[in-house]
């Protein structure tokens, strides 16, 4: 086994690795937030390297741990990413833990959260090759408007809003989607058009800060890929309790998590997604959270007693 050269490898995607150009605000933002984390890790006396998760030359046994951060191409390269995940977990500790990441990769995890008593957006799972139609799902449930999206996805890939006026035209697209992969069907919650989507960041079990994402006019998708915008938000005690309880319902305790929530027509908070793989954590809105995550990573490694972590 080679010597351990690093304590933490901070993982990104190939496209985010080079230093950004002055006019590349997106990559500049990524570098800024990861620099905050790296500074915190180094302040804990840890040796840090930043690299792409898909680097074919890196020896993963040369680092005590690897933390998934801006690996935002994984859902386009899932056929590579999942085997990589299983291979690397045998060489080093992954943060979040590899088993937890594996669980969170597929949005069927929402069913597990619901069974644990977490209020999630009601969800129907149309399995790959099931031949289900949107009409047959919407009708019995009384859902007049829905959103469908893949069970494994990100950045609102193949995410569509459907109502009675567009249903017939969307059925062929949905049929093609469900022939290729499992899909989720959920009622559309109109509050996303009013108050947007709330993202609550939880580090080591504690909610550190939150932001609110809003869709651009005429759209419902809040991701910046689709023109959405991000705004500061001070979480209420209700929102903090909700986020921390959702994270506490995970199969294991994550070092970091982001709870994306929206209110239903009755005003109840519901989890849209609980992100444990590579969520943007919005450290630029609350820089102390980056240090909190760095401290949490240092504590995990201290518990390892210097040995390689969970395999």
């Amino acid at each position: 086994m080679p010597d351990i050269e690093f304590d933490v490898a901070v993982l990104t995607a190939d496209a985010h690795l080079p230093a950004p150009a002055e006019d590349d605000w997106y990559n500049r933002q990524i570098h800024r937030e990861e620099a905050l984390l790296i500074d915190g890790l180094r302040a804990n006396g840890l040796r840090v390297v930043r690299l792409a998760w898909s680097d074919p030359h890196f020896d993963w046994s040369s680092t005590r741990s690897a933390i998934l951060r801006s690996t935002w191409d994984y859902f386009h390269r899932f056929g590579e990413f999942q085997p990589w995940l299983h291979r690397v977990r045998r060489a080093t500790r992954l943060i979040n833990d590899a088993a937890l990441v594996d669980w969170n990769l597929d949005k069927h995890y929402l069913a597990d959260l619901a069974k644990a008593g977490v209020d999630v957006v009601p969800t129907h799972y149309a399995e790959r090759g099931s031949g289900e139609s949107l009409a047959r799902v919407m009708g019995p449930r009384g859902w007049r408007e829905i959103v469908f999206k893949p069970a494994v996805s990100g950045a609102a890939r193949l995410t569509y809003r459907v109502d009675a006026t567009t249903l017939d035209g969307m059925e062929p697209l949905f049929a093609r989607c469900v022939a290729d992969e499992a899909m989720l069907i959920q009622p559309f919650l109109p509050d996303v058009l009013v108050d947007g989507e709330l993202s609550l960041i939880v580090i080591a079990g504690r909610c550190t800060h939150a932001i609110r994402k809003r869709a651009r006019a005429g759209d419902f998708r809040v991701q910046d890929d689709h023109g959405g915008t991000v705004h500061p938000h001070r979480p209420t005690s209700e929102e903090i309790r909700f986020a921390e309880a959702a994270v506490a319902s995970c199969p294991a305790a994550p070092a970091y998590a982001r709870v994306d929530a929206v209110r239903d027509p009755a005003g109840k908070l519901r989890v849209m997604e609980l992100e444990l793989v590579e969520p943007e954590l919005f450290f630029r809105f609350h820089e102390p959270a980056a240090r909190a995550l760095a401290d949490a990573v240092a504590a995990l490694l201290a518990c390892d007693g210097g040995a390689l972590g969970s395999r």
Side-chain angles (χ1 to χ4, degrees), residues 7-42:
D7 297 299
V8 187
V10 176
L11 304 184
T12 185
D14 293 322
H16 307 321
L17 194 57
E22 286 295 324
D23 60 349
D24 187 352
W25 68 268
Y26 185 71
N27 271 329
R28 287 178 65 81
Q29 188 168 277
I30 292 168
H31 278 249
R32 175 188 173 190
E33 299 216 345
E34 290 182 1
L36 291 170
L37 174 60
I38 290 168
D39 287 347
L41 293 168
R42 288 176 174 157

Side-chain angles (χ1 to χ4, degrees), residues 108-132:
H108 282 79
Y109 70 77
L110 290 170
D112 295 333
L113 292 178
K115 289 176 185 175
V118 177
D119 289 321
V120 304
V121 176
T123 303
H124 175 78
Y125 303 91
E127 303 302 341
R128 178 184 178 185
S130 64
E132 291 195 76

Side-chain angles (χ1 to χ4, degrees), residues 37 76 82 168 184:
L37 174 60
H76 297 301
Q82 197 162 43
D168 288 344
L184 274 61

Side-chain angles (χ1 to χ4, degrees), residues 222-237:
V222 299
Q223 293 82 3
D224 53 20
D225 311 65
H226 302 284
T229 53
V230 180
H231 306 270
H233 176 79
R234 178 172 291 183
T236 65
S237 57

